[in-house]
Amino acid sequence: MDDHVDDTVNAVIRWVDRPSGDGPLAGVRVGVKDNVDVAGGPTTCASAFFAARVPDRDAEVVRRLSDAGAAVVATLNLSEFAVGVTTQNSAAGPCRNPWDPARIPGGSSGGSGAAVAAGIVDLALGTDTGGSIRLPASACGVVGLRPTHGSIPLDGVFPVCDDVDTVGPLARTVDLVARAQRVLTGSSADLPAPAAPRRIGTPVQLLVDIDPGVQQVVDAAMAAFGAEVVPVEVEGLLDAQDIVYTLVYADLARIHASRLASDPERFHPDSLVRIGLGRDITAEQRAAAVEARRALQSRISAAMDGVDLVLTPTLPVDVPRADPDDVLRVSRRLGQLTYPWSLHAGPTLALPVGFHPVSGMPVGVQLTAPEDAEDVLFAAGLWYQQQTDWHTRRPPAPSC
């Protein structure tokens, strides 16, 4: 059945046969984004460069999930080297959205979002630098966590940019994402009780040029929480995307310098466009971006003092079709609302809240909380999923 489903979505790069064990995640089928090391076969980063790269041991996050009883069953498709937001630039071929195979699954963890939505796995690992967990979670109608930066180890995860890289879980339910977060962080704390937030912040300067159908669904979700809505303004928040791009592109050019110099045609063309941008970024420009990030982090943290969490749409537009387009323009547009929270030290939870009134595609929101306040997000998400059934909906892909 899984093979048949994956013929449609192309979420799987490699099938893995590791049985379930005992522990808090016993019986949970896990897929791992293929830039996270899984020993026993290639971990390719969806790149021709790494087609024969076989790690000699699991990444620490994979080890922790396995030790908790989870069954690792697949490595999952992604944008090459986790660069991109569409998961069309993969040496394994484009990944498709199980709700509509003509549309993208988001990225760069597109295979993770698609595999969970299609029922190929129960839980997936993704990585998130500029939105790479949150975007596919929302595009595919599942839950995804960008955790507090540094709270989950990155050992054995191929890097994009250490300043903003994270690794985190995706699943249909907040409950399973929260249980996975406990395992991944090594915490034994009980999960919080479901609880609606009392005060929700909305960053007014970000909420411009939002698709009307997306806004309609998000407004309904906001009303369902029944919280006091507080406008939040953060000086410099609109600079976040450029700050992240400076950090990320500078690091990508450095990490891939030898590949850019010796064999650039082996990159997917869309990957090459983005990775090559960093060659002209100077050390001084990157250092200035680091300082800008620190200053913006402080302002974001201060703005959160008066609210329980901040809520925005995840995608500002309906889930796009997989049509050829200018990769840089598409990246900026789709990441319009995710990049600011990549500079925040605290967690963001992507939560499915309905379907677009025109296309019928999933719509998601982002809930963002202060540093180490994952439980604030889990409490709100658990409460919301008690009140609604969006997370129970299944896409019309074969056998789903």
Side-chain angles (χ1 to χ4, degrees):
M1 180 182 72
D2 289 344
D3 291 290
H4 182 45
V5 173
D6 197 52
D7 288 342
T8 300
V9 297
N10 194 35
V12 174
I13 289 183
R14 173 167 65 96
W15 294 103
V16 178
D17 185 15
R18 293 196 188 176
S20 176
D22 295 326
L25 296 180
V28 174
R29 299 169 301 153
V30 172
V32 179
K33 185 177 180 178
D34 202 49
N35 63 339
V36 179
D37 286 349
V38 177
T43 296
T44 71
C45 291
S47 177
F49 284 103
F50 281 7
R53 175 180 175 268
V54 179
D56 57 9
R57 60 181 177 178
D58 290 339
E60 176 62 16
V61 284
V62 175
R63 185 192 68 78
R64 291 184 182 189
L65 292 175
S66 295
D67 287 352
V72 178
V73 299
T75 68
L76 302 174
N77 208 351
L78 67 150
S79 300
E80 183 179 20
F81 288 118
V83 179
V85 297
T86 66
T87 317
Q88 305 306 288
N89 57 321
S90 167
C95 184
R96 304 174 187 90
N97 195 309
W99 290 94
D100 178 354
R103 297 179 188 259
I104 66 168
S108 62
S109 308
S112 299
V116 171
I120 295 169
V121 299
D122 306 309
L123 176 74
L125 282 180
T127 60
D128 190 309
T129 300
S132 289
I133 287 173
R134 294 162 285 160
L135 291 170
S138 290
C140 295
V142 301
V143 180
L145 175 70
R146 175 187 168 90
T148 293
H149 188 259
S151 65
I152 295 175
L154 290 165
D155 302 339
V157 179
F158 195 84
V160 174
C161 174
D162 288 344
D163 286 322
V164 284
D165 282 352
T166 59
V167 59
L170 301 90
R172 287 190 185 275
T173 66
V174 174
D175 175 77
L176 184 50
V177 164
R179 290 193 287 126
Q181 184 262 355
R182 292 299 199 256
V183 168
L184 293 167
T185 58
S187 171
S188 59
D190 292 337
L191 297 187
R198 293 169 298 174
R199 289 168 60 85
I200 294 177
T202 58
V204 290
Q205 71 262 55
L206 282 183
L207 302 180
V208 295
D209 195 19
I210 307 298
D211 175 273
V214 170
Q215 191 65 61
Q216 176 183 326
V217 175
V218 172
D219 287 346
M222 182 77 84
F225 277 115
E228 178 186 358
V229 178
V230 181
V232 170
E233 190 156 355
V234 181
E235 180 186 351
L237 196 61
L238 294 180
D239 298 328
Q241 201 160 18
D242 288 331
I243 294 168
V244 174
Y245 276 166
T246 300
L247 296 170
V248 167
Y249 289 151
D251 284 12
L252 284 172
R254 173 183 54 80
I255 291 166
H256 297 286
S258 63
R259 286 178 278 275
L260 286 169
S262 65
D263 207 3
E265 66 277 4
R266 292 185 72 189
F267 287 107
H268 187 283
D270 287 353
S271 310
L272 183 59
V273 167
R274 298 203 44 195
I275 291 171
L277 287 174
R279 289 181 287 194
D280 296 327
I281 297 174
T282 67
E284 291 76 16
Q285 288 171 322
R286 193 191 187 287
V290 170
E291 289 304 314
R293 169 179 172 263
R294 289 173 181 160
L296 188 54
Q297 273 188 340
S298 296
R299 292 195 291 270
I300 290 172
S301 295
M304 288 190 170
D305 282 348
V307 299
D308 297 315
L309 53 84
V310 171
L311 185 151
T312 74
T314 310
L315 282 162
V317 295
D318 194 9
V319 179
R321 294 185 180 277
D323 296 329
D325 208 332
D326 178 71
V327 63
L328 299 180
R329 185 194 66 79
V330 170
S331 296
R332 289 193 70 89
R333 180 63 166 142
L334 297 190
Q336 174 182 324
L337 301 174
T338 58
Y339 277 91
W341 314 117
S342 293
L343 296 178
H344 174 47
T348 299
L349 185 73
L351 187 70
V353 295
F355 295 89
H356 195 281
V358 177
S359 69
M361 293 300 292
V363 174
V365 297
Q366 296 177 107
L367 309 179
T368 300
E371 189 172 1
D372 296 317
E374 273 84 348
D375 279 5
V376 171
L377 304 182
F378 295 154
L382 288 165
W383 181 89
Y384 184 82
Q385 290 195 328
Q386 282 185 341
Q387 317 305 312
T388 64
D389 67 353
W390 303 118
H391 61 289
T392 69
R393 307 294 179 90
R394 298 293 190 268
S399 302
C400 290

